[in-house]
Amino acid sequence: MADILVYALHYEGAINKNSLGAVSEGAALASELGGECHVIVVGGDDLTDGLCASVGNWGATKVYRVNAPEGLAQPVVDAMAKVIGDDGHGYALFGGGLLGFEVGAGLAARLGAGVAMEVTAVRAQDGKLVAERPILGDSAISEIAFRSPVGIIIGRLNAFEAKETGGGPAAVQDVEVELSPHAQQATMIQRGEQRGADVDIEGADVLVAGGRGLGKPEGFELVEELAKAFGGNSAVAATRAVVDAGWYPYAAQIGQTGKTVAPKLYLAAGISGAIQHKVGMQSSENIVAINKDANAPIFEFSDLGVVGDLNKIVPKLTEAIKAKKGS
Ligand SMILES: Cc1cc2nc3c(=O)[nH]c(=O)nc-3n(C[C@H](O)[C@H](O)[C@H](O)COP(=O)(O)OP(=O)(O)OC[C@H]3O[C@@H](n4cnc5c(N)ncnc54)[C@H](O)[C@@H]3O)c2cc1C
């Protein structure tokens, strides 16, 4: 079947941006396959008709609304397995994020379906979908096609761009799902944003960005101290490598699949300068890089490059700025 089912996560009355990206991608791909993009949402009274139907604006034609706990993987697996079983979707698409990975993996196991994870692009070819997934530390791209009747595609967080189509409201269909016993064993106690979700890197004048060269999550204390020393409108940013590793929140990620910034000063500590990072910060007014590798690509587009160990340089720079400011 050419129809694509997208799982849309929602929180505090809004569909998650990453999910809307998956809906947009699903709608574009379904139209190339000659099918439709359908969305499944799971939750309680917060799932109003208006909220559900709104995904039509991102290209979905139908929304399945399931009354079950939101934010837990197993109820969503039960719901998606039923909908796919009843209506025969050819693909399930997820925007990524931890819940997307968990639901997608569970659904693949349930349906005996092929799964592609950490996908960064999808295309239609000969009436089927082919997913692209970076491998070997993002140095090569593998292509994944599906032999199973259902293909499961889980994107990297924010890999798919949310594009409003101006389409009308999607049709909302309520679906009754009988949850399996194991899906009822977990209860959501509290939902919330991870640390730093309120970081506003887009509006900062000074950004101190940290990469894998910081060595460990605690390494971010060095760049936080430096940003604090700058004071004013300064903030800490990060590369994809470190947010994927859980060292810093996604909200701080700069680059192709993160945010685009243009501060007055962008200071990179332990960042190699991969093209996907560069596209998010190259418009910064002044770029300063600290890297122990004199051949690091970031030096090719820095205004000032310091070759050396950030563990020695960053604390000294912090002290120098504090001294200059007299604090
Ligand atoms: C489709 C796609 C989308 C992507 N999107 C993004 C994105 O949005 N943003 C992004 O950032 N990346 C993105 N990436 C990943 C990107 O390709 C790189 O893997 C990533 O940017 C590397 O992060 P990094 O510079 O922190 O780590 P690394 O590349 O590992 O670099 C670490 C650097 O630290 C230096 N270093 C190590 N120790 C020290 C020390 N003690 N002192 C000084 N320097 C030190 C090293 O010399 C090295 O240059 C994407 C990749 C793909 C395929």
Side-chain angles (χ1 to χ4, degrees):
M1 268 284 282
D3 292 341
I4 298 175
L5 183 65
V6 177
Y7 168 56
L9 190 69
H10 60 99
Y11 182 60
E12 291 186 339
I15 305 282
N16 167 299
K17 177 176 157 250
N18 183 44
S19 298
L20 290 175
V23 176
S24 296
E25 185 75 10
L29 292 167
S31 105
E32 283 193 57
L33 296 178
E36 293 183 9
C37 173
H38 300 158
V39 169
I40 184 163
V41 284
V42 175
D45 294 344
D46 48 342
L47 281 178
T48 60
D49 288 348
L51 178 66
C52 295
S54 69
V55 293
N57 201 23
W58 281 267
T61 51
K62 179 157 72 172
V63 178
Y64 300 97
R65 174 168 55 190
V66 179
N67 189 337
E70 165 72 327
L72 299 170
Q74 287 306 325
V76 185
V77 171
D78 283 351
M80 292 187 79
K82 172 170 171 52
V83 166
I84 291 173
D86 288 351
D87 290 357
H89 297 84
Y91 299 91
L93 180 66
F94 298 84
L98 292 180
L99 191 61
F101 285 140
E102 204 179 339
V103 177
L107 188 61
R110 179 76 61 89
L111 301 177
V115 58
M117 306 185 76
E118 285 274 339
V119 167
T120 51
V122 189
R123 65 173 191 276
Q125 186 176 307
D126 303 327
K128 293 188 169 177
L129 294 187
V130 177
E132 291 183 11
R133 176 184 187 224
I135 53 169
L136 302 174
D138 289 348
S139 62
I141 300 283
S142 67
E143 296 196 335
I144 299 156
F146 297 92
R147 288 186 294 197
S148 49
V150 181
I152 298 186
I153 299 173
I154 309 172
R156 264 196 184 170
L157 195 73
N158 296 326
F160 307 128
E161 194 187 340
K163 292 179 201 147
E164 293 193 48
T165 59
V172 181
Q173 180 181 327
D174 287 303
V175 181
E176 292 271 328
V177 176
E178 196 179 323
L179 296 183
S180 48
H182 63 268
Q184 300 173 52
Q185 298 299 309
T187 309
M188 176 64 68
I189 295 171
Q190 190 184 1
R191 286 183 73 186
E193 294 291 330
Q194 74 185 116
R195 181 175 74 106
D198 55 346
V199 178
D200 177 19
I201 60 169
E202 284 152 309
D205 287 331
V206 176
L207 275 181
V208 184
R212 199 147 36 191
L214 292 174
K216 52 185 187 297
E218 293 72 30
F220 267 92
E221 287 164 18
L222 284 182
V223 284
E224 282 175 343
E225 276 297 305
L226 180 53
K228 213 161 96 193
F230 277 116
N233 192 10
S234 55
V236 172
T239 63
R240 165 136 217 160
V242 292
V243 301
D244 276 352
W247 294 7
Y248 219 66
Y250 278 106
Q253 187 196 319
I254 290 176
Q256 183 184 326
T257 46
K259 290 176 181 161
T260 302
V261 295
K264 291 189 177 129
L265 172 64
Y266 172 90
L267 194 152
I271 292 177
S272 60
I275 179 68
Q276 297 89 355
H277 187 77
K278 181 184 173 192
V279 294
M281 45 64 72
Q282 60 192 350
S283 304
S284 305
E285 236 171 280
N286 297 288
I287 298 172
V288 176
I290 303 169
N291 197 304
K292 68 177 184 185
D293 175 6
N295 295 315
I298 195 151
F299 290 134
E300 289 164 21
F301 51 93
S302 297
D303 299 293
L304 176 68
V306 183
V307 180
D309 183 353
L310 67 86
N311 295 299
K312 292 183 183 149
I313 297 165
V314 174
K316 284 197 175 141
L317 185 57
T318 305
E319 286 315 313
I321 291 168
K322 279 187 187 166
K324 176 108 179 142
K325 291 192 155 194
S327 59

